[in-house]
Amino acid sequence: MQYTLVSPQEASAQQQNGALIVDIRQADEFRREHLPDAVSLPLDDVLAGQTVTPSSPDQTVIFHCQSGMRTQQNADALVRAAAPAKVMILDGGLNNWKREKLPTVQDKRQPRPLMQQVQIVAGSLILLGVVLGFTLHPNFFLLSGFVGAGLLFAGLSGWCGMALLLAKMPWNRS
């Protein structure tokens, strides 16, 4: 399977020449910020067999994610999903695009991505447990241990109770 790694400047030039930009991040990540005129096709959908439909067989398709890791790790699946189009992967993803001061479409009214919310809540609870454990009572250290055990379980099993709970919060309902 063939693909080309492209810089943000090259990707921008390709887009101006008709290339299709495909964002493989989760829908919540896309809604908060994405490249201009990009389409959303989450990686889970690609891995489930959904394909990209270029406007013509010779149209270039440029895939990107946040940092470039998801696209490069799944390059074969992305190439298959865009066949027979020429496939490119944005080197460094959205982060690199922004480093190069290229424009993005942002909607700060959208909630932060779910995994970022989990990290904020978990980190806050762990810090709170440590501070309260030192200042009020040592039993508060159990809070930090409980959250740490939950994160370990989530990492090993792929099931995160905190993410499921946060997904049900009113600000995360679309």
Side-chain angles (χ1 to χ4, degrees):
M1 299 283 171
Q2 286 286 126
Y3 69 91
T4 305
L5 206 56
V6 293
S7 71
Q9 293 84 1
E10 292 172 85
S12 179
Q14 288 285 336
Q15 184 182 30
Q16 290 173 359
N17 290 328
L20 176 65
I21 304 281
V22 179
D23 189 327
I24 66 162
R25 299 173 305 142
Q26 294 300 316
D28 59 341
E29 295 175 279
F30 180 83
R31 282 190 301 271
R32 184 149 169 104
E33 183 175 27
H34 58 270
L35 303 186
D37 300 319
V39 297
S40 176
L41 180 61
L43 179 60
D44 291 343
D45 294 347
V46 172
L47 296 177
Q50 193 167 340
T51 60
V52 176
T53 309
S55 59
S56 69
D58 58 333
Q59 183 181 29
T60 299
V61 177
I62 303 172
F63 289 100
H64 83 88
C65 61
Q66 189 71 38
S67 67
M69 288 187 80
R70 280 180 271 190
T71 49
Q72 288 193 7
Q73 289 173 344
N74 296 281
D76 288 345
L78 298 175
V79 170
R80 280 192 303 275
K86 178 180 178 184
V87 173
M88 296 181 168
I89 291 179
L90 178 59
D91 188 25
L94 178 65
N95 292 342
N96 199 21
W97 181 276
K98 288 168 42 175
R99 256 191 305 279
E100 297 297 323
K101 309 271 191 269
L102 293 167
T104 62
V105 176
Q106 293 184 359
D107 185 356
K108 297 290 185 173
R109 294 171 299 164
Q110 294 294 323
R112 293 181 181 272
L114 194 57
M115 284 301 107
Q116 195 174 24
Q117 291 180 46
V118 168
Q119 293 166 340
I120 290 168
V121 171
S124 298
L125 289 173
I126 290 170
L127 181 61
L128 180 66
V130 169
V131 169
L132 294 177
F134 278 119
T135 59
L136 294 180
H137 194 278
N139 284 348
F140 281 107
F141 287 120
L142 293 173
L143 174 61
S144 300
F146 177 74
V147 174
L151 290 172
L152 177 63
F153 178 78
L156 293 174
S157 69
W159 184 88
C160 181
M162 188 180 297
L164 293 174
L165 180 65
L166 285 170
K168 294 179 187 221
M169 292 294 129
W171 60 84
N172 284 324
R173 296 199 182 153
S174 50

